[in-house]
Amino acid sequence: VQGGSEEVISSLGPLPGLIGLLLMPFIFGFPLGLITAELSSAFPGNGGYSIWVSEAFGPFWGLQESLWSWISGVVDNALYPLLTYRAITLGFGVMPKNVPFLMGWGLRVLIALVYSLPGLFLIRPVADGLGVFFLIIL
């Protein structure tokens, strides 16, 4: 989970904090996008970081990168339903620890299902849309 904008504003003040938040995509994101574009064109295959690390450091480190990237994604994505649950309960003025166990568990499962629905039902329409977009570009 990426965050920290609250700390930036409170530490630096409103104007420098907002200027820093506005400049961050250009200072960090733009060069990272250029690096990704360069490596993707140099190694045209599906695999991203795994291919790049395997080519640079060998298959063992490519496997390590793949494994730890996957673990990071699982842990990171598991946090979103819990953060949403906490925001909902606090938004209604209830401390999460005061919610009955089964009701809290059910709400967390419901939130996780809501987050997974787009992936279950929208993959095909998005793929079809990208295919149409590709044909328009040609």
Side-chain angles (χ1 to χ4, degrees), residues 36-60:
T36 303
E38 181 72 25
L39 286 170
S40 295
S41 61
F43 302 102
N46 291 332
Y49 294 109
S50 301
I51 292 175
W52 306 338
V53 171
S54 292
E55 289 292 325
F57 302 110
F60 174 77

Side-chain angles (χ1 to χ4, degrees), residues 5-108:
S5 60
E6 298 87 3
E7 291 84 7
V8 169
I9 301 295
S10 65
S11 298
L12 297 177
L15 185 60
L18 289 175
I19 290 172
L21 289 174
L22 291 174
L23 290 177
M24 180 63 178
F26 300 104
I27 294 171
F28 178 75
F30 186 69
L32 189 61
L34 291 175
I35 292 167
T36 303
E38 181 72 25
L39 286 170
S40 295
S41 61
F43 302 102
N46 291 332
Y49 294 109
S50 301
I51 292 175
W52 306 338
V53 171
S54 292
E55 289 292 325
F57 302 110
F60 174 77
W61 293 111
L63 176 67
Q64 292 296 313
E65 194 287 324
S66 299
L67 175 67
W68 290 108
S69 180
W70 178 78
I71 290 172
S72 170
V74 167
V75 171
D76 189 39
N77 289 323
L79 291 175
Y80 293 116
L82 295 175
L83 291 172
T84 304
Y85 168 75
R86 182 171 170 82
I88 289 171
T89 55
L90 291 175
F92 284 109
V94 178
M95 291 300 290
K97 64 181 178 183
N98 295 335
V99 177
F101 176 76
L102 286 178
M103 190 168 101
W105 185 83
L107 184 57
R108 287 190 296 263

